[in-house]
Amino acid sequence: MNHAARRIGRSLALVLPVVLVLSGTLAVTSVPWTSTPSDSQVLTASAEKASTQKEAQAPQDVLRDRLIAELQEKDPGAALTSLQEAVTRKPSLAQHCASIARALGKAAVQKYGAAHRAHRYSRPVCDTSFASGVAQMN
């Protein structure tokens, strides 16, 4: 008798948690938590989400835009210094450093006209990407 009771106890110990989890999951999925939204509500929510995603820029894009504005207000040297500081503060931006520095090089040529004037600000920030951006504008 003792042996049979122990076997039943072990079986219950294995099966009972599975049964409880499954019944709880089924109970939660069958409860109507909210009313079903109409098609227009779903479309409106989708449109709002899409417009929010367009408005939110990636951090590297925000940094690039800010640095180009700084270049326009001050000079390319200040923007390159800020770029180096931003990459030092947030290392995840390092993978975008070269493209941002190239964009700064192009903006410097647009601001100063001749490429030789923009080259004066060249620094070893992100290798020679700034100089590459200046050269691309020739």
Side-chain angles (χ1 to χ4, degrees):
M1 178 77 174
N2 214 1
H3 182 61
R6 190 174 297 153
R7 248 185 7 196
I8 292 172
R10 283 184 187 164
S11 297
L12 281 176
L14 292 173
V15 174
L16 191 60
V18 173
V19 170
L20 290 174
V21 168
L22 288 176
S23 64
T25 303
L26 293 174
V28 169
T29 58
S30 66
V31 173
W33 293 101
T34 61
S35 61
T36 47
S38 67
D39 288 340
S40 63
Q41 288 173 325
V42 171
L43 290 175
T44 303
S46 297
E48 287 173 1
K49 184 178 179 184
S51 67
T52 303
Q53 287 174 346
K54 285 181 185 176
E55 291 171 8
Q57 286 185 311
Q60 65 272 12
D61 296 335
V62 172
L63 176 63
R64 183 198 60 233
D65 294 346
R66 183 175 59 82
L67 292 175
I68 289 175
E70 182 177 352
L71 181 143
Q72 298 301 327
E73 290 174 18
K74 298 177 184 174
D75 62 61
L80 287 170
T81 299
S82 295
L83 173 59
Q84 186 63 51
E85 290 169 352
V87 170
T88 301
R89 271 193 319 273
K90 193 171 182 185
S92 63
L93 290 170
Q95 64 184 349
H96 305 286
C97 187
S99 65
I100 294 171
R102 267 192 303 280
L104 291 174
K106 291 176 183 180
V109 172
Q110 289 174 347
K111 180 178 179 180
Y112 293 107
H116 69 278
R117 289 184 65 198
H119 263 296
R120 289 186 297 170
Y121 296 98
S122 189
R123 297 193 183 153
V125 177
C126 306
D127 297 325
T128 57
S129 298
F130 177 82
S132 171
V134 170
Q136 286 177 353
M137 293 300 286
N138 286 336

